[in-house]
């Protein structure tokens, strides 16, 4: 099992599937509500807002979001399992759930299953599920500390960086939609070492860094990530990384990457 206390636990996904579709959004809410330990207590159109959860009010709002405009739907839960979720409706379709780092590890398996079911509805271009390792001091005091931070950094799909440099690397679990399967090549993805591979019925590929990635120790996570990334980097789709001053990361968009997730079709 994990030998570290996480500082962030994040499910995130980006795609071009319109989220102002009432039927699709209803499916997403059906999934979220179907897990008692993850069912939302509150919702809002603002990050700091907190209205009693009401799916009818949410769907009424979704119906008014026209193509090219946007709305942010925030979902929150204050009791275990505590989280803050954000569903960004157009023009950048983005779903993220950030869980309390003190989340009991007994929920990890359900969390990965929860993410998987959301992905089957949204069918993203790229998605990740990652339990981030601790924040180590900088400059890094050891190669293990540096490598651990690199893994966490590349697993992030924050839109502010993603739409500039594209995907940065693998997470504990990574989903590649058809947009990226084409760029990497299905054969390359399905031959990735140190991973469990699974074709998705909607045309994507799921890569897990082990059969049960949430059970990896920090060192095993680094080793599996490094081996898998060495296999995939020659495709020149993941952003190029420069580590300088033994403390800072700079990413540059890779030459073969066409960034997905912004109505690129």
């Amino acid at each position: 099992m994990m030998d570290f206390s996480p500082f962030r636990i994040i499910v995130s996904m980006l795609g071009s599937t319109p989220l102002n579709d009432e039927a699709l959004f209803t499916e997403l809410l059906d999934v979220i509500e179907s897990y008692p330990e993850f069912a939302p207590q509150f919702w809002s159109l603002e990050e700091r807002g907190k209205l009693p959860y009401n799916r009818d009010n949410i769907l009424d709002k979704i119906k008014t979001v026209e193509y090219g405009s946007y709305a942010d739907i925030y979902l929150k839960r204050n009791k275990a399992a505590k989280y803050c979720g954000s569903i960004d409706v157009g023009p950048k379709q983005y779903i993220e759930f950030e869980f309390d780092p003190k989340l009991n590890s007994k929920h990890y398996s359900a969390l990965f299953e929860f993410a998987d079911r959301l992905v089957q509805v949204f069918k993203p271009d790229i998605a990740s599920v990652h339990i981030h390792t601790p924040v180590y001091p900088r400059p890094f005091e050891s190669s293990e500390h540096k490598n651990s931070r690199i893994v966490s950094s590349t697993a992030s799909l924050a839109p502010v960086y993603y739409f500039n440099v594209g995907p940065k690397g693998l997470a504990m679990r990574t989903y590649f939609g058809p947009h990226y399967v084409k760029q990497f090549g299905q054969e390359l993805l399905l031959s990735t070492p140190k991973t469990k591979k699974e074709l998705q019925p909607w045309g994507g590929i799921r890569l897990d860094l082990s059969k049960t990635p949430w059970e990896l120790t920090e060192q095993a996570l680094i080793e599996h990530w490094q081996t898998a990334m060495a296999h995939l980097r020659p495709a020149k789709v993941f952003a190029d990384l420069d580590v300088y001053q033994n403390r800072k990361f700079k990413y540059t968009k890779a030459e073969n990457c066409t960034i997905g997730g912004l109505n690129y079709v």
Side-chain angles (χ1 to χ4, degrees):
M1 290 291 291
M2 289 182 171
D3 56 355
F4 59 86
S5 298
F7 81 96
R8 297 183 82 191
I9 303 173
I10 298 181
V11 174
S12 53
M13 53 195 78
L14 299 107
S16 58
T17 304
L19 284 170
N20 63 344
D21 182 280
E22 183 182 358
L24 184 144
F25 214 99
T26 297
E27 285 190 70
L28 290 175
L29 295 181
D30 286 344
V31 170
I32 296 167
E33 292 174 9
S34 70
Y35 288 81
E37 65 269 57
F38 302 141
Q41 295 176 275
F42 308 100
W43 85 284
S44 178
L45 294 172
E46 299 177 355
E47 188 172 1
R48 295 186 179 181
K50 186 182 288 186
L51 300 171
Y53 178 74
N54 186 309
R55 70 182 283 147
D56 292 333
N57 290 348
I58 295 172
L59 293 173
D60 285 344
K61 176 58 184 178
I62 292 303
K63 295 175 189 176
T64 68
V65 182
E66 298 179 354
Y67 182 83
S69 60
Y70 71 92
D72 293 339
I73 306 296
Y74 292 94
L75 302 175
K76 297 180 181 180
R77 183 180 172 90
N78 282 353
K79 59 184 179 181
K82 185 177 179 181
Y83 67 73
C84 180
S86 173
I87 304 178
D88 298 354
V89 184
K92 298 177 180 179
Q93 292 77 212
Y94 177 59
I95 299 174
E96 178 180 276
F97 283 82
E98 181 165 358
F99 288 80
D100 186 334
K102 296 179 181 179
L103 178 70
N104 193 310
S105 60
K106 71 180 182 181
H107 294 303
Y108 287 172
S109 178
L111 186 153
F112 276 72
E113 179 187 290
F114 169 77
D116 193 70
R117 289 188 58 195
L118 289 176
V119 163
Q120 305 311 311
V121 176
F122 183 42
K123 302 175 180 62
D125 290 326
I126 190 82
S128 68
V129 188
H130 197 75
I131 302 170
H132 292 260
T133 52
V135 177
Y136 292 110
R138 303 190 190 195
F140 300 114
E141 297 175 349
S142 69
S143 60
E144 183 176 277
H145 287 181
K146 180 178 74 173
N147 290 333
S148 184
R149 297 310 317 131
I150 289 174
V151 173
S152 283
S153 176
T154 59
S156 171
L157 282 176
V160 66
Y161 301 113
Y162 171 81
F163 287 108
N164 288 323
V165 302
K168 296 182 290 185
L170 294 171
M172 285 183 171
R173 170 173 290 175
T174 310
Y175 295 86
F176 300 94
H179 179 73
Y180 284 113
V181 171
K182 182 178 180 180
Q183 292 180 53
F184 280 100
Q186 180 173 295
E187 183 177 347
L188 182 71
L189 288 169
L190 292 178
S191 60
T192 306
K194 294 286 188 178
T195 64
K196 180 178 182 294
K197 284 78 70 174
E198 185 175 300
L199 285 167
Q200 303 292 288
W202 46 277
I205 290 176
R206 189 182 88 190
L207 290 187
D208 288 358
L209 290 179
S210 77
K211 184 178 180 180
T212 51
W214 55 91
E215 295 184 349
L216 288 168
T217 65
E218 187 173 5
Q219 186 55 47
L221 173 63
I222 293 170
E223 292 173 358
H224 286 224
W225 182 91
Q226 288 178 328
T227 301
M229 287 293 292
H231 175 81
L232 295 173
R233 279 207 182 280
K236 297 183 179 180
V237 179
F238 283 138
D240 297 317
L241 169 63
D242 177 33
V243 181
Y244 60 100
Q245 298 177 355
N246 196 35
R247 62 182 295 146
K248 297 181 181 179
F249 300 152
K250 180 181 179 181
Y251 292 93
T252 306
K253 180 176 172 292
E255 63 180 271
N256 293 337
C257 178
T258 300
I259 299 173
L262 188 58
N263 294 321
Y264 55 84
V265 177

